[in-house]
Amino acid sequence: MLFQFIGGLGIFLFGIKYMGDGLQNSAGDRLREILDKLTTNPFMGVLAGIFVTVLLQTSSGTTVLTVGLVNAGFMTLRQAIGVIMGANIGTTVTSFIIGIDIGEYALPIIAVGAILIFFIKNQKWNYFGQITFGFGALFLGLELMGDGMKPLRSLQAFQDLTVSMSDNPVLGVVIGTLFTVVVQSSSATIGILQELYSQDMIDLTAALPVLFGDNIGTTITAILAAIGTTVAARRAALTHVIFNLLGTAIFLIILVPFRHYVEFLSNRLDLEPAMQIAFAHGTFNIANVLIQFWFIGLLALIVTKLIKGEDTLIEYKAKHLDEIVLETSPAMAINQAKQEIIRMANYSQAGLKEAITYLNEKDKKNSDLALQYEEAINNLDRQITSYLIKLSAHPLTPQESNEHSMLLDTSRDIERIGDHMENIIELVDYQLRNNVRLTDTAKQDLDEMFALTVSTVDKAVKALEGNDVELAKEVLSLEDKIDKMERTLRKQHIMRMNEGQCDGNAGIVFVDIISNLERIGDHAVNIAEAVLEK
């Protein structure tokens, strides 16, 4: 019984995951972009949450993705709350799929999926094969679990437990929560609940609290995803917990009328037992969203009070690029693009400082923050480049055309500074993984070169912002110092290695870091030269 149940559960979980992967691949790797664009307000956030959860076939996946977006600064807390609410509705689709009893066709469905995966060369058909195979595996797993659970009916301990759950709904909530925490999938626990209910091994009074508990248990994934993230991301995860706890509390209070509602619906629509649970699940989550949607502001306030602290906000979205201005005033559009590039440049400075701190203190928070700045730089570079390309389709004066080209080049240079910053983070990661030790002299040398590089980038950005020719000239002289320092430090490090003070791995880390810093200096010079050529 145990082997059949565990094996069936494994196939069921694989089926959901594989089907979700196929759906995600079919949609393209743009789920983050979908969430980013559709979450303009909480209502749109709910719709986006539903859509992405249907694609992923897991509310936990959507919630983790949302926590990641909040952590990265792509999404505000209020937007995230809407997405989390939508994810709770989207996950009910799986229970409705399970409610369609086609278990006896599971094997031929798997066969069709396998044929599409292994014998068709077209990638789109391969993705469709993944969806089909996963769909069939889901039902095969359910059938195996159902067969494995049949002997439970004759066990006195299980009969006593179901009676206890009928008498004490809180016990049912606890069991549903714990089982979902263990399995890490509310879809799986609801599928098991549907099987138990279909076989008359549990009555509706006991099944509904377990259903509520499943929704609480699924929040553990978001909690785990939020560990070590920003304050805003932890608040988003806590919102998920509070939302499901409040919904469960409300429905436990109205459990008797809710049970009558499900029975009425079942009689009216002539629902199969598994579909009764699906409708109960759908009603619970939709009603929960309708009740709490109007209190999103209050939920945000509560979690802000519970999780205190200032959060580092990195805004990934462009703030100054106005599409209307493109049509009316090219000069103003160029100025807006320049303002956005200066924001980008400020991010590169901040990220570089976080990289230095990570090198010295080895704190993962500095690494994460530096990588967030790098991702923000990449995102802004894409938006600025797209904006400037659109601008090039409009008539420009020679001076505007010259500045337009300069801004395109500058945006690329700043993006490359971000790439080198990321390289430095990866080198420090390599140092930590391989327990590479740098000598005190090497650390001091790196600190000096970092300080000089940061100063050079800082002056280049200020020169760009104020069209300061003197500062731009100063950048050129500083870059010469960086080049000389890079050559000198490289020679000194070779000497240390020859004397046996450093090993080969330390040499790789040291030389690659100073090489990246030298290239950052080159990009700072490019920015300064653009100012001088205006």
Side-chain angles (χ1 to χ4, degrees):
M1 184 185 96
L2 185 64
F3 285 176
Q4 196 163 0
F5 174 77
I6 293 174
L9 178 61
I11 293 171
F12 178 88
L13 291 172
F14 172 79
I16 287 182
K17 174 75 168 59
Y18 206 57
M19 185 166 69
D21 288 347
L23 286 162
Q24 187 175 350
N25 289 331
S26 299
D29 190 23
R30 299 199 300 179
L31 293 180
R32 174 177 284 205
E33 193 177 327
I34 290 166
L35 283 176
D36 183 31
K37 287 184 176 178
L38 295 185
T39 53
T40 50
N41 58 59
F43 177 72
M44 290 300 293
V46 171
L47 296 180
I50 294 170
F51 178 68
V52 172
T53 304
V54 169
L55 280 182
L56 289 178
Q57 281 297 294
T58 164
S59 60
S60 297
T62 305
T63 308
V64 168
L65 186 60
T66 304
V67 168
L69 288 169
V70 174
N71 183 53
F74 262 109
M75 194 180 289
T76 65
L77 179 60
R78 288 172 68 93
Q79 289 172 326
I81 294 171
V83 175
I84 289 165
M85 288 180 172
N88 275 38
I89 294 175
T91 195
T92 62
V93 171
T94 309
S95 60
F96 280 100
I97 291 171
I98 293 168
I100 305 165
D101 186 16
I102 55 170
E104 59 191 84
Y105 303 109
L107 291 174
I109 292 170
I110 289 172
V112 170
I115 290 167
L116 292 173
I117 293 167
F118 293 108
F119 298 104
I120 306 293
K121 299 300 181 186
N122 186 294
Q123 196 173 51
K124 286 185 178 178
W125 281 103
N126 290 160
Y127 293 150
F128 185 67
Q130 269 188 270
I131 298 166
T132 309
F133 190 97
F135 187 68
L138 183 155
F139 283 101
L140 178 63
L142 269 176
E143 287 284 299
L144 290 171
M145 281 193 291
D147 291 343
M149 289 186 294
K150 280 176 183 174
L152 284 175
R153 189 179 306 172
S154 59
L155 289 178
Q156 187 61 43
F158 183 78
Q159 292 171 9
D160 293 343
L161 180 63
T162 56
V163 170
S164 298
M165 285 193 295
S166 297
D167 295 336
N168 184 2
V170 175
L171 178 62
V173 172
V174 171
I175 289 170
T177 302
L178 291 175
F179 196 67
T180 306
V181 167
V182 172
V183 176
Q184 286 284 293
S185 169
S186 61
S187 296
T189 49
I190 288 164
I192 293 165
L193 185 64
Q194 285 173 295
E195 281 293 319
L196 289 170
Y197 186 62
S198 296
Q199 295 180 27
D200 292 325
M201 295 162 70
I202 187 172
D203 64 18
L204 193 59
T205 305
L208 292 176
V210 175
L211 179 68
F212 304 155
D214 291 341
N215 281 269
I216 297 173
T218 196
T219 63
I220 190 65
T221 313
I223 293 168
L224 293 173
I227 293 171
T229 55
T230 62
V231 173
R234 295 201 301 274
R235 286 171 180 163
L238 181 59
T239 302
H240 193 209
V241 177
I242 292 172
F243 174 74
N244 284 302
L245 283 173
L246 285 173
T248 297
I250 291 166
F251 274 81
L252 279 178
I253 293 167
I254 60 167
L255 180 59
V256 174
F258 184 58
R259 189 195 72 216
H260 290 321
Y261 158 79
V262 175
E263 289 170 345
F264 167 78
L265 210 60
S266 173
N267 292 331
R268 271 301 180 92
L269 301 177
D270 193 24
L271 299 176
E272 293 291 324
M275 198 59 85
Q276 289 177 37
I277 298 296
F279 270 89
H281 188 211
T283 304
F284 168 71
N285 282 311
I286 292 168
N288 203 3
V289 170
L290 291 175
I291 292 166
Q292 295 191 55
F293 179 79
W294 313 105
F295 302 101
I296 284 178
L298 181 60
L299 278 171
L301 180 64
I302 290 168
V303 294
T304 304
K305 294 290 183 186
L306 290 172
I307 299 179
K308 299 184 183 298
E310 291 296 319
D311 205 15
T312 305
L313 181 63
I314 303 173
E315 291 189 47
Y316 281 48
K317 297 180 183 179
K319 294 167 73 175
H320 304 101
L321 306 182
D322 190 338
E323 296 284 336
I324 297 171
V325 172
L326 281 174
E327 307 292 333
T328 56
S329 175
M332 194 179 291
I334 285 170
N335 186 54
Q336 287 186 339
K338 183 178 176 180
Q339 285 180 288
E340 212 59 64
I341 284 172
I342 289 164
R343 272 187 70 219
M344 240 179 102
N346 290 333
Y347 281 170
S348 71
Q349 289 172 277
L352 200 51
K353 287 171 185 173
E354 292 297 333
I356 301 165
T357 310
Y358 183 48
L359 174 67
N360 291 326
E361 298 179 10
K362 306 295 188 289
D363 190 333
K364 195 74 172 67
K365 286 182 181 177
N366 299 116
S367 161
D368 291 341
L369 200 51
L371 294 176
Q372 284 176 40
Y373 278 120
E374 203 278 327
E375 196 169 348
I377 289 166
N378 288 343
N379 193 59
L380 288 174
D381 175 53
R382 285 192 293 270
Q383 292 183 56
I384 292 164
T385 302
S386 174
Y387 187 78
L388 288 171
I389 288 169
K390 288 176 186 175
L391 179 61
S392 64
H394 296 80
L396 301 174
T397 65
Q399 185 180 349
E400 288 169 349
S401 181
N402 183 45
E403 190 157 6
H404 175 273
S405 298
M406 183 271 285
L407 290 176
L408 272 172
D409 292 339
T410 302
S411 178
R412 180 57 53 195
D413 278 309
I414 295 168
E415 192 273 333
R416 291 297 297 143
I417 288 173
D419 289 344
H420 291 302
M421 177 180 77
E422 185 179 17
N423 291 345
I424 292 168
I425 295 292
E426 288 171 356
L427 285 165
V428 179
D429 287 339
Y430 173 84
Q431 182 191 356
L432 288 171
R433 279 196 312 272
N434 295 281
N435 200 24
V436 175
R437 191 186 67 83
L438 294 173
T439 64
D440 292 337
T441 307
K443 289 177 185 174
Q444 191 175 345
D445 289 343
L446 285 175
D447 283 342
E448 285 180 20
M449 190 163 179
F450 258 115
L452 182 59
T453 307
V454 169
S455 174
T456 306
V457 173
D458 182 54
K459 284 179 167 57
V461 173
K462 285 177 179 172
L464 174 67
E465 191 171 4
N467 292 319
D468 192 322
V469 173
E470 294 305 314
L471 262 181
K473 289 177 181 176
E474 197 175 332
V475 170
L476 299 187
S477 64
L478 285 173
E479 203 275 332
D480 282 339
K481 287 184 182 179
I482 291 174
D483 287 347
K484 288 175 184 174
M485 184 180 282
E486 193 258 349
R487 288 193 294 270
T488 303
L489 295 184
R490 193 184 288 266
K491 287 176 185 175
Q492 289 176 356
H493 199 68
I494 290 169
M495 287 172 62
R496 282 196 295 271
M497 288 176 67
N498 290 337
E499 291 168 4
Q501 296 178 37
C502 291
D503 62 15
N505 281 335
I508 291 169
V509 171
F510 183 87
V511 170
D512 281 0
I513 288 176
I514 61 172
S515 179
N516 276 284
L517 290 172
E518 188 272 329
R519 286 169 191 158
I520 288 172
D522 290 342
H523 290 294
V525 164
N526 291 343
I527 295 168
E529 286 177 342
V531 173
L532 292 171
E533 290 170 6
K534 281 184 67 177

